[in-house]
Amino acid sequence: MIDTMQQWGPAGRRMTAVGEGTPEMWRDAGLAPCPGDRGAGIVLGSFGDRIDELLTAPAFVAQPCIGQSSGDVRQLPVSVVWEVLLPMLLAAGQPSDVVVRINLAEEQLKYPRRAEQFADVAHAVAAATKELADQLGLSSKVEVNTRPPASAVSVDTSTLYGIFAPFQPDIDHPRGFQNEDNILIAFTWYLARYRELPDGACIVEGAHMVDAVRAALGPTAPYLAALALPAPSGRACLVQDAPVGERITMTNLEALPLDWWPERVVQSVFGRGLRALALDFRDSLTS
């Protein structure tokens, strides 16, 4: 089958604008395109032609990453707010629950000297997420995973760096980090978390997680590959991958633009835009 950008709609164009693959790459990853009038404009595709089924799931699940905070809530990238909003955007207006799971044990394994600080971040994010869901009138369950997963996922270690960035150039392995062994173990824990989700739940995470979901659950996983948050500067990358001087964290949310598609999408669903909700989230984090 020859893919065209038209088949992938606005979501496909937004993906290519940030350097996150091509129609051929998405299809090779096992994804089928989401019709342009589905999924609030944030869904690229799913495994198989299951969009309508998955969009009515009883629960939508996300697992936001807190690693880039370095154990300081002020350094959390705004992508964390977007990641918790993704399941909320799909749950809005229907009897679906929002489930958000914050994986603390992984960060403590990678950075044991900051274990206490990461615990503070994880619980602050959990409380702010719950408050945001309540504010938006959504039924939610938010939990912090403080222990390793119960099961293991067997993956070739040499593929673990690239498994979270499938549309980017190959990443060298090993990378020579002092804590590299623990980093790689933590990556396998991330994968295993997908096996702990509630029955019938649908995973709603960035399309760059497609290989991770497939490695954990196989090619029929209940997964909606969503759009990750782009760098608002216009640089062709995700916001968390932008150079340090261009990153938007909890310290400079006021720099979020009001004239870009993430703002409009959130505004269209909730009546308030991404910037306003991110500021509320920050207030909850620091209260």
Side-chain angles (χ1 to χ4, degrees):
M1 177 181 294
I2 299 175
D3 277 321
T4 66
M5 190 57 70
Q6 184 176 1
Q7 290 175 293
W8 296 86
R13 293 192 292 274
R14 290 164 179 166
M15 284 281 290
T16 57
V18 293
E20 284 293 309
T22 63
E24 182 180 10
M25 295 171 75
W26 308 325
R27 184 75 69 176
D28 287 347
L31 295 176
C34 174
D37 60 346
R38 306 282 202 281
I42 60 169
V43 177
L44 178 70
S46 66
F47 291 133
D49 188 10
R50 302 176 60 195
I51 293 294
D52 289 336
E53 170 198 346
L54 294 176
L55 285 175
T56 57
F60 296 104
V61 184
Q63 301 185 105
C65 177
I66 63 171
Q68 286 196 349
S69 72
S70 298
D72 181 349
V73 293
R74 296 169 298 180
Q75 299 307 315
L76 279 167
V78 69
S79 54
V80 170
V81 182
W82 181 254
E83 288 161 5
V84 302
L85 276 173
L86 287 174
M88 297 183 190
L89 288 164
L90 297 183
Q94 59 180 335
S96 300
D97 293 331
V98 171
V99 179
V100 176
R101 307 173 80 242
I102 299 156
N103 297 324
L104 169 60
E106 286 80 343
E107 305 309 328
Q108 292 181 320
L109 176 66
K110 291 189 293 183
Y111 310 109
R113 294 183 179 178
R114 297 184 213 154
E116 187 174 334
Q117 292 94 321
F118 270 107
D120 291 342
V121 170
H123 290 291
V125 169
T129 300
K130 181 62 177 174
E131 188 168 331
L132 180 60
D134 291 348
Q135 174 188 330
L136 297 174
L138 299 171
S139 173
S140 66
K141 179 182 180 181
V142 183
E143 56 189 29
V144 177
N145 291 321
T146 60
R147 296 184 178 182
S151 64
V153 176
S154 179
V155 181
D156 181 350
T157 301
S158 67
T159 69
L160 279 171
Y161 288 115
I163 208 169
F164 301 103
F167 308 124
Q168 300 300 314
D170 291 342
I171 301 174
D172 291 338
H173 170 270
R175 301 189 68 186
F177 298 129
Q178 185 175 1
N179 60 337
E180 189 151 35
D181 288 345
N182 283 350
I183 289 174
L184 294 173
I185 292 171
F187 284 173
T188 66
W189 289 5
Y190 290 143
L191 301 181
R193 296 297 183 188
Y194 291 118
R195 297 181 175 179
E196 301 177 340
L197 304 183
D199 290 342
C202 174
I203 302 159
V204 186
E205 293 188 344
H208 61 286
M209 301 299 288
V210 61
D211 282 0
V213 175
R214 187 173 55 190
L217 297 177
T220 61
Y223 169 56
L224 289 172
L227 299 178
L229 193 65
S233 65
R235 187 182 294 273
C237 67
L238 303 181
V239 65
Q240 63 267 31
D241 298 328
V244 172
E246 296 179 14
R247 289 182 189 172
I248 305 293
T249 68
M250 295 299 117
T251 65
N252 61 339
L253 293 175
E254 292 79 3
L256 284 170
L258 297 177
D259 59 348
W260 66 333
W261 69 261
E263 179 76 14
R264 292 190 294 272
V265 165
V266 176
Q267 176 76 34
S268 70
V269 175
F270 294 125
R272 301 182 68 211
L274 174 60
R275 185 200 285 183
L277 294 181
L279 289 169
D280 288 349
F281 191 88
R282 181 178 69 186
D283 289 345
S284 299
L285 278 176
T286 56
S287 63

